[in-house]
Amino acid sequence: MTRQDIALSAVDRKGRGLEIGPSFGPLAPKSEGFDVDIVDHLDQEGLVAKYKTHGVDVSRIERVDFVWRGGRLADLLNRPGHYDYVIAAHVIEHLPDLLGFLSDVESLLKPGGVLALVVPDKRYCFDCLKPVSTTGAVIDASLNPRATHTPGAVLDHFMLSTKLNGAITWNGDKTGELRFAHQIEDALHLLERAINQPDEYLDIHRWHFTPSSLKLILIDLRLLKRTGLLVV
């Protein structure tokens, strides 16, 4: 199966969809006939400009319907109960308020709608030294919602990110030399930026999961009546 097939395995491909943050790698491209709206942090022109020097195929970047610059996703779209499915690949680990995002997605989905997530496994990427996130931390973040990351979260990201044999991701069977990805001076500089410019968004991995730990958090949130979403 392809990456697309796995990600969309529970999705009705003929339904009305929303893809969040596809950047240059949409999983449900309009060009392939998917009836989707796209949300991203820049419009199509801005994304092309951002990635044209990154060695990727910018022709895959599609028209962006909603530009999300923070705030509640549900407020930006204002389309309750509108979508059969929502796709978010490599998105949730970056969000300051994970539960707020899940709540917004739930409000945007039709009854029986599907949220399809693609999420990095912390064991096989630069997050390997970071502890798995907990349900309590997700609840705390939702009670103190922010548009940017806390200074402590920024520090943890830049102090603990690693490379294995010079790579930031790897297969499970790889061994070799594990090194920190950033210098202490860089971490200090970014910590001070996060403290002194609290409204500036610094892009980090705020949440760290294995498949089982993410499933447990989602089940916990359901049992705690914080979400109506079910793990399927």
Side-chain angles (χ1 to χ4, degrees):
M1 295 179 71
T2 67
R3 176 176 181 268
Q4 183 187 47
D5 290 335
I6 295 169
L8 303 185
S9 59
V11 163
D12 176 8
R13 298 188 183 208
K14 296 180 180 179
R16 178 71 171 149
L18 174 71
E19 184 162 7
I20 301 170
S23 184
F24 55 83
L27 287 167
K30 297 175 181 179
S31 61
E32 293 182 14
F34 286 91
D35 180 16
V36 295
D37 289 326
I38 291 177
V39 175
D40 221 311
H41 70 291
L42 295 170
D43 61 15
Q44 183 181 28
E45 183 179 38
L47 290 171
V48 169
K50 177 179 179 178
Y51 290 109
K52 65 182 179 182
T53 60
H54 284 60
V56 299
D57 183 4
V58 296
S59 70
R60 297 195 64 209
I61 297 175
E62 300 193 311
R63 185 188 75 252
V64 175
D65 301 286
F66 299 94
V67 177
W68 189 16
R69 304 191 188 280
R72 296 303 294 257
L73 187 64
D75 294 337
L76 173 67
L77 274 69
N78 192 26
R79 292 184 171 182
H82 184 75
Y83 295 103
D84 295 293
Y85 62 88
V86 175
I87 304 166
H90 293 271
V91 170
I92 65 167
E93 65 272 16
H94 296 268
L95 300 173
D97 180 9
L98 173 56
L99 182 53
F101 171 80
L102 295 176
S103 298
D104 283 351
V105 168
E106 187 176 355
S107 74
L108 293 167
L109 286 170
K110 297 177 182 178
V114 172
L115 168 61
L117 297 170
V118 178
V119 184
D121 186 330
K122 69 170 288 291
R123 297 171 297 176
Y124 309 120
C125 72
F126 58 83
D127 290 329
C128 69
L129 292 186
K130 301 167 189 172
V132 293
S133 299
T134 66
T135 306
V138 173
I139 295 291
D140 279 347
S142 73
L143 296 175
N144 300 280
R146 298 170 55 101
T148 61
H149 295 290
T150 65
V154 171
L155 179 64
D156 283 347
H157 177 83
F158 289 102
M159 288 285 283
L160 295 176
S161 291
T162 57
K163 292 183 178 180
L164 181 64
N165 299 327
I168 62 172
T169 64
W170 51 85
N171 297 325
D173 58 353
K174 281 192 176 178
T175 59
E177 183 181 56
L178 193 69
R179 286 181 173 268
F180 289 114
H182 304 284
Q183 300 295 319
I184 187 67
E185 293 81 9
D186 298 326
L188 175 60
H189 169 68
L190 289 159
L191 171 62
E192 291 175 343
R193 272 178 63 179
I195 294 171
N196 297 321
Q197 301 177 51
D199 294 330
E200 179 187 9
Y201 178 82
L202 297 173
D203 189 33
I204 65 169
H205 278 193
R206 171 63 182 86
W207 308 102
H208 320 109
F209 309 106
T210 66
S212 295
S213 77
L214 176 55
K215 184 177 180 180
L216 178 60
I217 287 173
L218 295 172
I219 292 171
D220 284 347
L221 293 174
R222 169 84 177 187
L223 293 172
L224 293 167
K225 303 185 186 305
R226 293 303 196 275
T227 182
L229 296 173
L230 288 167
V231 177
V232 298

